[in-house]
């Protein structure tokens, strides 16, 4: 059974700090990894995708992937109150397959 | 600039009613999906479609059916609504073939269904 695990949180960080969100997955053949952000009452929106081991940076966001450890993370530098949301990790196998989502981690950034 | 449109934002139905949830996308995407989202359970895939008139069961298809007669439209049908189907329903679409690694989902705004 494919599983994606995230700490439900909430993860509380002060404004300006680095927020670190973690995700582990059970399916070793997973090939594509995504982070979605979901504000309260809104639908998820993609913020990062990563396909290769290592780091991928986009502005204040950095996704990190370690396939050997089956671990993917999202770092948010200089966290802002507007980053307060639930962050969903999603994983996809190769071939004909669909995304498997984790249950999400709630992030609270306090001013 | 809305790309995935769900016809109803809020619905209240009675047990046993037939419910239709409509979803339309204007991005010419091949793939369309229906999820439900519940507190503590996350996003769960109900049905998906990789092409017109094609459908595949997701993780929780029981009590649901779908229809995709046109590329841009994917309908979710609750044949006889039950209280345990009270949930937020999210439609999504993506481009590329089903074995595409990208499969970036674009979600609609969601339809909150309450079954009394």
């Amino acid at each position: 059974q494919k599983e994606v695990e995230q700490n439900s949180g909430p993860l509380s960080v002060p404004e300006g700090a680095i927020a670190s969100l973690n995700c582990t997955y059970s399916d070793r053949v997973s090939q594509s990894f995504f982070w979605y952000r979901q504000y309260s009452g809104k639908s998820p929106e993609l913020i990062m995708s990563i396909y290769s081991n290592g780091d991928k940076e986009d502005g204040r966001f950095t996704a990190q992937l370690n396939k050997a450890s089956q671990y993917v993370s999202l770092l948010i530098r200089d966290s802002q109150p507007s980053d307060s949301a639930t962050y969903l990790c999603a994983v996809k196998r190769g071939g004909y397959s669909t995304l498997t989502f984790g249950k999400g981690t709630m992030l609270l950034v306090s001013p | 600039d809305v790309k995935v449109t769900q016809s109803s934002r809020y619905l209240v139905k009675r047990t046993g009613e037939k419910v239709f949830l409509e979803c339309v996308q204007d991005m010419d995407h091949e793939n369309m999906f229906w999820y439900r989202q519940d507190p503590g359970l996350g996003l769960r895939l109900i049905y998906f479609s990789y092409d017109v008139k094609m459908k595949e069961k997701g993780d929780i298809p029981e009590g649901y059916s779908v229809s995709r007669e046109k590329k841009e439209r994917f309908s979710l049908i609750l044949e006889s609504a039950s209280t345990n189907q009270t949930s937020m329903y999210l439609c999504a679409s993506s481009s590329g073939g089903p074995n595409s690694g990208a499969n970036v989902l674009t979600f609609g705004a969601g339809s909150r269904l309450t079954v009394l």
Side-chain angles (χ1 to χ4, degrees):
Chain A
Q1 182 178 356
K2 297 175 287 183
E3 292 186 352
V4 178
E5 300 289 340
Q6 296 181 255
N7 189 318
S8 62
L11 173 65
S12 296
V13 300
E15 183 175 358
I18 296 175
S20 178
L21 302 160
N22 304 315
C23 172
T24 59
Y25 59 94
S26 62
D27 191 346
R28 288 193 168 275
V29 300
S30 297
Q31 295 185 3
S32 307
F33 307 86
F34 306 87
W35 283 100
Y36 285 81
R37 177 177 62 200
Q38 186 174 24
Y39 291 114
S40 180
K42 301 293 185 181
S43 56
E45 57 180 342
L46 180 74
I47 52 173
M48 291 284 288
S49 60
I50 187 167
Y51 307 102
S52 304
N53 278 329
D55 294 358
K56 178 181 178 182
E57 186 174 318
D58 184 2
R60 295 186 296 112
F61 298 95
T62 299
Q64 300 175 317
L65 175 61
N66 183 326
K67 290 185 179 180
S69 300
Q70 297 176 237
Y71 176 92
V72 58
S73 65
L74 179 70
L75 300 179
I76 306 175
R77 291 182 299 281
D78 188 24
S79 295
Q80 301 296 310
S82 59
D83 294 326
S84 297
T86 295
Y87 290 80
L88 304 173
C89 174
V91 172
K92 185 182 189 296
R93 306 181 83 187
Y96 281 63
S97 64
T98 57
L99 286 179
T100 299
F101 283 87
K103 295 179 182 178
T105 297
M106 181 182 293
L107 173 66
L108 299 175
V109 182
S110 54
Chain B
D1 190 38
V2 176
K3 295 180 172 61
V4 180
T5 303
Q6 295 185 229
S7 57
S8 303
R9 190 75 176 93
Y10 299 96
L11 303 94
V12 179
K13 298 293 182 180
R14 297 208 173 272
T15 301
E17 281 192 78
K18 191 169 186 176
V19 181
F20 292 87
L21 299 179
E22 304 286 341
C23 175
V24 177
Q25 51 93 5
D26 64 1
M27 297 171 285
D28 200 34
H29 281 173
E30 294 85 354
N31 315 313
M32 297 189 75
F33 307 82
W34 275 106
Y35 290 87
R36 63 178 284 178
Q37 187 172 34
D38 302 285
L41 296 177
L43 276 165
R44 294 180 291 169
L45 182 62
I46 304 171
Y47 267 97
F48 58 101
S49 170
Y50 288 135
D51 202 352
V52 176
K53 296 192 184 295
M54 182 244 160
K55 60 185 179 183
E56 295 284 348
K57 293 180 179 179
D59 300 318
I60 52 164
E62 296 79 16
Y64 304 94
S65 62
V66 291
S67 173
R68 193 166 182 201
E69 295 296 319
K70 294 184 178 182
K71 187 176 184 180
E72 66 270 19
R73 187 180 297 271
F74 193 36
S75 303
L76 180 69
I77 304 156
L78 287 67
E79 295 289 343
S80 178
S82 62
T83 55
N84 62 12
Q85 293 178 308
T86 292
S87 185
M88 171 66 84
Y89 290 88
L90 290 163
C91 176
S93 70
S94 69
S95 64
N99 61 350
S100 169
N103 272 171
V104 173
L105 296 179
T106 300
F107 285 89
S111 298
R112 183 166 293 281
L113 172 67
T114 301
V115 182
L116 302 176

